[in-house]
Amino acid sequence: MPDYDIVLLDVEGTTTPISFVHEVLFPYILDNVDRFLEAQWQDPTVQEHVRAIADQANKDAQAGIVHAIPIDLDTDTPEEIRQKVAVNVRWQMKIDRKIAALKGLQGYMWRFGYTGGQLQGVMFDDAVQAIKKWSADCKVYIYSSGSVEAQKLIFGFSDHGDLLPCISGHYDTNIGLKQESQSYTRIAEDIGIPPSRIMFISDNENEIRAADQAGFQTVVSVRPGNLTLTESAKKNYRLTSDFTELI
Ligand SMILES: [Mg+2]
């Protein structure tokens, strides 16, 4: 029997190549955001996401962030709002901002891409094999800075079929930032299991350190295209490039 009850997985650089996000998902947003906003403008969910982006942009502008252009939903025309939202989305993505308002709109756009057959989630073979085995023996959860919506799409429309039946739950930055130890404490509390019974796998050593501080078991995922690890990470943490070794 494994010495853990829960496996908590990062996505980018862990189950899925980093290149998938930067070479497929992000360009899909950048290429389609203007057209999408115009075509789906009447959709109430699009309006909700636009409101969230506007609130964030107005907060950023008040905080004196140079590139944040305020968006006035009462006085700007729909064309002006769409244009400002598109500019805001491109700026936030350029600086790789992990903010809930941006992630929400991205996730909603990706749903159109996946269900329309333009996008498919890329998974490492060994990760899929391990996830299937783990889901029979223990429980698999996902914790990614990509929104829960985006996670469900990658796993639901993967190049290995629908993997969602193997996943017991999803967390994103709504529970807290991935490099903060309290986020992992909250996840353990939410699942209702001691931190020491959870094995967290991620490519990011700052996330691994935060999970380790919260008392989780940790494994660093080593994949082609991931950032080079520091010597201290190599020395202090268990590393793997094949998840079937962890089963
Ligand atoms: Mg990652």
Side-chain angles (χ1 to χ4, degrees):
M1 285 298 284
D3 58 355
Y4 47 81
D5 301 313
I6 301 285
V7 179
L8 182 66
L9 296 170
D10 166 58
V11 177
E12 189 183 336
T14 301
T15 62
T16 298
I18 284 186
S19 61
F20 174 66
V21 178
H22 292 278
E23 290 167 20
V24 179
L25 288 186
F26 287 173
Y28 179 84
I29 302 291
L30 297 173
D31 294 345
N32 291 291
V33 63
D34 303 87
R35 240 171 314 175
F36 175 84
L37 288 173
E38 196 174 347
Q40 308 300 329
W41 190 246
Q42 302 303 331
D43 179 342
T45 310
V46 167
Q47 288 297 318
E48 264 170 48
H49 289 302
V50 166
R51 257 194 305 279
I53 297 261
D55 286 348
Q56 183 66 50
N58 294 335
K59 256 185 244 161
D60 289 343
Q62 266 167 22
I65 297 175
V66 178
H67 290 278
I69 304 161
I71 301 172
D72 192 330
L73 295 175
D74 296 324
T75 59
D76 290 347
T77 65
E79 289 77 11
E80 284 169 334
I81 295 170
R82 287 198 288 268
Q83 204 211 347
K84 286 180 181 178
V85 168
V87 167
N88 183 280
V89 163
R90 289 203 175 86
W91 161 64
Q92 294 203 65
M93 288 179 68
K94 195 173 166 192
I95 60 171
D96 196 22
R97 217 168 181 215
K98 314 273 191 198
I99 287 271
L102 173 66
K103 298 286 168 190
L105 177 63
Q106 287 174 325
Y108 196 61
M109 280 187 69
W110 284 323
R111 171 163 290 283
F112 275 75
Y114 283 104
T115 54
Q118 291 159 285
L119 293 171
Q120 202 173 39
V122 177
M123 296 281 152
F124 291 113
D125 289 336
D126 61 276
V128 173
Q129 242 178 291
I131 286 168
K132 286 183 174 167
K133 183 74 174 67
W134 282 324
S135 69
D137 298 344
C138 53
K139 283 184 171 175
V140 182
Y141 287 75
I142 307 296
Y143 182 29
S144 167
S145 50
S147 66
V148 167
E149 165 83 3
Q151 299 171 23
K152 287 185 175 168
L153 292 169
I154 293 182
F155 285 82
F157 295 88
S158 93
D159 56 359
H160 289 69
D162 180 6
L163 299 173
L164 285 181
C166 301
I167 309 298
S168 296
H170 299 260
Y171 296 99
D172 59 19
T173 51
N174 284 318
I175 197 109
L177 296 175
K178 293 184 76 187
Q179 307 199 350
E180 290 175 1
S181 175
Q182 307 96 292
S183 307
Y184 298 85
T185 306
R186 275 183 221 122
I187 288 173
E189 279 169 8
D190 191 63
I191 297 174
I193 198 141
S196 63
R197 301 300 300 167
I198 307 178
M199 178 172 72
F200 175 58
I201 313 177
S202 169
D203 60 307
N204 183 304
E205 58 187 86
N206 296 321
E207 296 171 9
I208 291 288
R209 190 178 312 116
D212 182 51
Q213 280 167 1
F216 282 45
Q217 299 179 44
T218 57
V219 179
V220 180
S221 163
V222 179
R223 302 291 194 182
N226 284 4
L227 285 180
T228 310
L229 297 167
T230 61
E231 287 309 315
S232 85
K234 286 185 202 164
K235 201 177 65 186
N236 292 325
Y237 302 117
R238 182 174 179 186
L239 313 182
T240 184
S241 53
D242 177 358
F243 292 2
T244 60
E245 330 173 316
L246 304 170
I247 296 170

